[in-house]
Amino acid sequence: MSAASDSYDIVVVGAGTAGAFAASTAASEGLDVVVLERKPEEEAGHIACGDAIKGKSTFPDVIDLEYLREESFTNQSIQRAVFENPKTGEELDVPFGQAGAVIDRKRYGEVILEETERAGADIHYDTVVQDVLQDDDGTVTGVRAKRNGDAITYEADLTVDAAGSLSILQDKGEFGDASFDTNVSYSQFCSAYREVVEVPEPVDYEDAIVFKPTEELGYLWYFPRTGTEINAGLGFQMTEPPMKLVEVLKRDMSRRPEFEGATVKDKLGASLPTRRPYDSAVADGFVAVGDAAGHVNPTTGGGIPGAAKSAHWAVKRAIDAVVEGDVTEERLWRYNHDVMTDFGKRFAAMDVYNIWGTAHDVDELTDIVTALPAQQLLNAMTKGETSMSLRLKLKTVFETYGHWDTLRELYKVRGIAGDLKDHYDRYPERPSAFAGWQEHRDSLMDDLYAVSGADPKY
């Protein structure tokens, strides 16, 4: 029996943040779009996530953002980050210039899909994508899937990969002649696990997101959805020896008085990219967005903003291409430029510090981090940059006595990160200049490996 077949202007694989915003953007412009989601409808939105975001300004205005805020923003009073020193127990407070929020990720996921349907997109749940359709010239023309156990082919002018980390579409697709980034490996990803925990009494950090380094290269987090409902989790780099995530989290929670008598309401694990954004996330008939294109802050693991923005930008760039029947890599290329000259350059710079960190032990990194002035630490984590007055520089030098060689090394790394950001600002507007851009970027990375002694990541 032959498989059933459906035809759309755009097929979006994955119903997370990237998938929902891609489909909402397309449907709001009148295109015929379907979202394929492997989970049943009642489980959609149930995703392992830290739940912390900057606020509704994070999202493109293609859904009802007030409705999203009212329904899923459970704590809108996050004013600071707290970094706990695992050696001394001391805390470093980093104030935010603008209040952030913590969300109920399940309800958030339900709302963005409600809004996607309201915009006019179809959503097919219980649909497991198994393969990519491609013409003889390599152009992607859709996907093969099973829906409720039945084989079905989805043909489309454009396929949007919003399937998350280590996407099956990229395993199945053949992108040998395209610019699409295939330099992807498990070592560039992080394993994460989180629990949603109800505690008996309100925590004293209801206005803060709390971070604590682990023995391996990773960190624990405690993010308050409310005063008594905490998202507690941890993640670690896959470059490091395997960590028993649940055991490490349980051990730390057992030492924290606020979790005495607590109840676990939900638990879930995931992988996420802790790497620079894909050099190119386009091929003929194909774009990758969100986690599937490495659009995640490689320092904090925050992926919601990058997913929403990149998906919106990709589809906005693709609408005319689809309407005019020209979905070539060349026509879709401007989406790459949009990403790289915006958050892409910041994430690439942050990844420099991740790479540098792999060459040093956690105790030394903790000593240096806790000696950094708070605003400079925040800038390094969120913007990939640090700058200090002479007074702050002298104070930091004094407080990092014993680590001056490492600090000199970090100073050189900071320079490389700055050069890298400048180079990403020069990301080519056409694919013809792409190879030259990559060559210079790779020379900067060679400088980083030489200075840090870290193993090459790419």
Side-chain angles (χ1 to χ4, degrees), residues 276 345-346 348-353 355-356 384-386 408-424 426 440-454:
R276 67 193 181 203
K345 65 183 178 184
R346 298 196 304 273
M350 291 176 210
D351 189 45
V352 165
Y353 295 106
I355 293 169
W356 172 75
E385 62 186 31
T386 56
R408 280 193 291 269
E409 184 182 296
L410 180 57
Y411 179 80
K412 295 177 183 178
V413 168
R414 192 195 79 168
I416 294 169
D419 291 343
L420 197 66
K421 282 185 71 175
D422 291 343
H423 185 58
Y424 271 68
R426 297 188 292 272
H440 183 68
R441 190 277 316 280
D442 289 346
S443 73
L444 292 173
M445 296 301 293
D446 288 341
D447 292 342
L448 170 67
Y449 299 134
V451 166
S452 66

Side-chain angles (χ1 to χ4, degrees), residues 337-354:
H337 188 269
D338 293 339
V339 170
M340 294 305 198
T341 56
D342 192 86
F343 65 79
K345 65 183 178 184
R346 298 196 304 273
F347 288 1
M350 291 176 210
D351 189 45
V352 165
Y353 295 106
N354 269 2

Side-chain angles (χ1 to χ4, degrees), residues 234-433:
L234 80 165
F236 83 105
Q237 290 282 137
M238 290 186 183
T239 52
E240 304 306 298
M243 179 195 291
K244 295 181 179 179
L245 299 179
V246 178
E247 291 181 16
V248 173
L249 179 62
K250 291 295 187 186
R251 185 167 62 247
D252 195 72
M253 290 172 65
S254 70
R255 298 168 180 167
R256 305 178 72 94
E258 70 265 32
F259 289 103
E260 186 174 350
T263 302
V264 177
K265 298 174 63 177
D266 186 56
K267 55 182 70 174
L268 203 61
S271 65
L272 64 153
T274 44
R275 52 156 291 154
R276 67 193 181 203
Y278 283 18
D279 285 0
S280 170
V282 303
D284 292 346
F286 186 84
V287 296
V289 294
D291 286 19
H295 296 159
V296 173
N297 183 318
T299 304
T300 66
I304 290 176
K309 291 176 182 177
S310 67
H312 177 65
W313 294 340
V315 173
K316 288 291 285 185
R317 289 293 185 186
I319 287 169
D320 288 344
V322 169
V323 170
E324 296 170 16
D326 177 11
V327 290
T328 58
E329 173 187 86
E330 175 98 16
R331 187 65 184 273
L332 300 171
W333 186 264
R334 287 289 302 182
Y335 157 59
N336 282 336
H337 188 269
D338 293 339
V339 170
M340 294 305 198
T341 56
D342 192 86
F343 65 79
K345 65 183 178 184
R346 298 196 304 273
F347 288 1
M350 291 176 210
D351 189 45
V352 165
Y353 295 106
N354 269 2
I355 293 169
W356 172 75
T358 63
H360 297 274
D361 64 54
V362 171
D363 284 348
E364 183 173 35
L365 293 176
T366 300
D367 287 344
I368 291 172
V369 164
T370 52
L372 285 173
Q375 189 59 50
Q376 280 62 44
L377 178 61
L378 180 64
N379 288 345
M381 290 185 64
T382 60
K383 301 178 183 178
E385 62 186 31
T386 56
S387 60
M388 294 187 235
S389 67
L390 177 60
R391 183 181 65 83
L392 285 177
K393 287 178 181 177
L394 292 173
K395 180 176 182 288
T396 302
V397 167
F398 176 77
E399 293 183 357
T400 53
Y401 178 76
H403 302 292
W404 288 352
D405 286 344
T406 304
L407 203 62
R408 280 193 291 269
E409 184 182 296
L410 180 57
Y411 179 80
K412 295 177 183 178
V413 168
R414 192 195 79 168
I416 294 169
D419 291 343
L420 197 66
K421 282 185 71 175
D422 291 343
H423 185 58
Y424 271 68
D425 269 330
R426 297 188 292 272
Y427 188 88
E429 296 187 9
R430 303 181 69 87
S432 57

